[in-house]
Amino acid sequence: MPLPMPRLFLAFVCFFILSCSGSVPIQEFPVQASFDRDAFYFTKVRPLLDNRCVACHACYTSPCQLNLAEHEGIRRGATKIRLYEGSRLTEIAPTRLGIDAQNYVDWQKKEFFPVAGGGESSLMMALVKQRQINQAPVTQKSKESFLCPKDSGEMVDFLAEHAEKGMPYGLPPLTDAEAAIMSRWLQEGYPALSEEGLAQLALIKPEEAEHIKIWEELGA
């Protein structure tokens, strides 16, 4: 049986991944990007997120409250605040997208931190790279940590302790082509869609309309 990888070496690998990163403050990005942001988002980024990320990160109870199903959720980032905490006796403030905060500064006040800021050195890319390095299938339940690392220092410690928690967790890693798409989008500042793109996002596709009709008829 091969010996487990020494923790010191794991820490070195994590440090190498994050050597250029830091705690990147939430900031506004230029409206204009150096490429057709709408086309790139709809043809490359959105399909990638839908196919590889939103199975776990698409709702209010997502790990670290990171919602990758909505662009606003990506820009909001993650938080260490647990929605479910057995020792908590008082309520916590809700964190609903589009309702409880309207900009990045307000989300920071609610203890959210960026995961996409910093491009190639972002926390998101660090986890993607970690899964490419550690591709072994998860054969047993990972030790629960609930750490949600918020900066490069915490990420080094987190991956040294939980080397199997690269993303997508427990699934095949992103291919080099998929990782390149993610990296390019993040380096461009994961720009928001134009007004035309937002309008396109709001359109209901014919196949979606058919599913909606079926559900409405079931409830009639």
Side-chain angles (χ1 to χ4, degrees):
M1 178 180 295
L3 293 175
M5 183 180 295
R7 180 172 176 175
L8 179 61
F9 180 71
L10 281 174
F12 172 78
V13 171
C14 298
F15 178 78
F16 176 78
I17 292 174
L18 292 157
S19 59
C20 297
S21 65
S23 181
V24 182
I26 295 177
Q27 56 184 307
E28 295 282 359
F29 289 95
V31 174
Q32 298 298 326
S34 61
F35 62 101
D36 188 332
R37 55 182 174 172
D38 289 355
F40 190 72
Y41 181 81
F42 283 116
T43 62
K44 301 293 185 180
V45 178
R46 190 69 260 166
L48 173 58
L49 294 173
D50 288 344
N51 292 332
R52 303 307 311 276
C53 304
V54 301
C56 296
H57 291 278
C59 61
Y60 186 54
T61 57
S62 297
C64 304
Q65 294 193 48
L66 176 60
N67 188 332
L68 300 179
E70 300 287 343
H71 191 273
E72 181 186 353
I74 298 170
R75 295 173 76 83
R76 176 182 70 171
T79 180
K80 293 177 178 289
I81 299 175
R82 304 184 198 178
L83 287 177
Y84 303 108
E85 173 56 75
S87 62
R88 185 170 56 228
L89 299 178
T90 58
E91 65 182 10
I92 60 174
T95 52
R96 297 162 294 182
L97 287 174
I99 298 176
D100 298 310
Q102 302 301 322
N103 56 60
Y104 321 122
V105 174
D106 287 345
W107 282 122
Q108 277 191 309
K109 292 177 181 178
K110 292 180 178 291
E111 300 184 48
F112 279 79
F113 52 85
V115 298
E120 185 69 15
S121 300
S122 65
L123 300 182
M124 186 180 294
M125 281 306 299
L127 291 169
V128 167
K129 292 177 181 178
Q130 175 66 16
R131 187 59 183 154
Q132 290 181 315
I133 293 172
N134 189 329
Q135 300 185 21
V138 178
T139 57
Q140 58 184 0
K141 185 176 180 180
S142 173
K143 179 181 178 182
E144 295 295 339
S145 60
F146 302 106
L147 292 178
C148 302
K150 69 176 182 179
D151 55 37
S152 60
E154 289 190 2
M155 183 64 78
V156 168
D157 294 338
F158 174 77
L159 293 180
E161 181 71 21
H162 307 282
E164 77 287 355
K165 283 201 170 183
M167 297 297 161
Y169 174 65
L171 296 171
L174 266 61
T175 65
D176 289 342
E178 290 172 331
I181 291 172
M182 182 72 72
S183 177
R184 179 185 178 188
W185 188 56
L186 294 179
Q187 288 184 45
E188 290 285 348
Y190 49 105
L193 296 171
S194 66
E195 292 185 4
E196 293 78 7
L198 291 173
Q200 181 180 344
L201 194 64
L203 293 176
I204 299 178
K205 299 177 182 178
E207 60 271 22
E208 294 174 338
E210 183 63 27
H211 287 302
I212 292 173
K213 180 180 179 181
I214 293 173
W215 278 105
E216 289 178 340
E217 291 176 348
L218 288 174

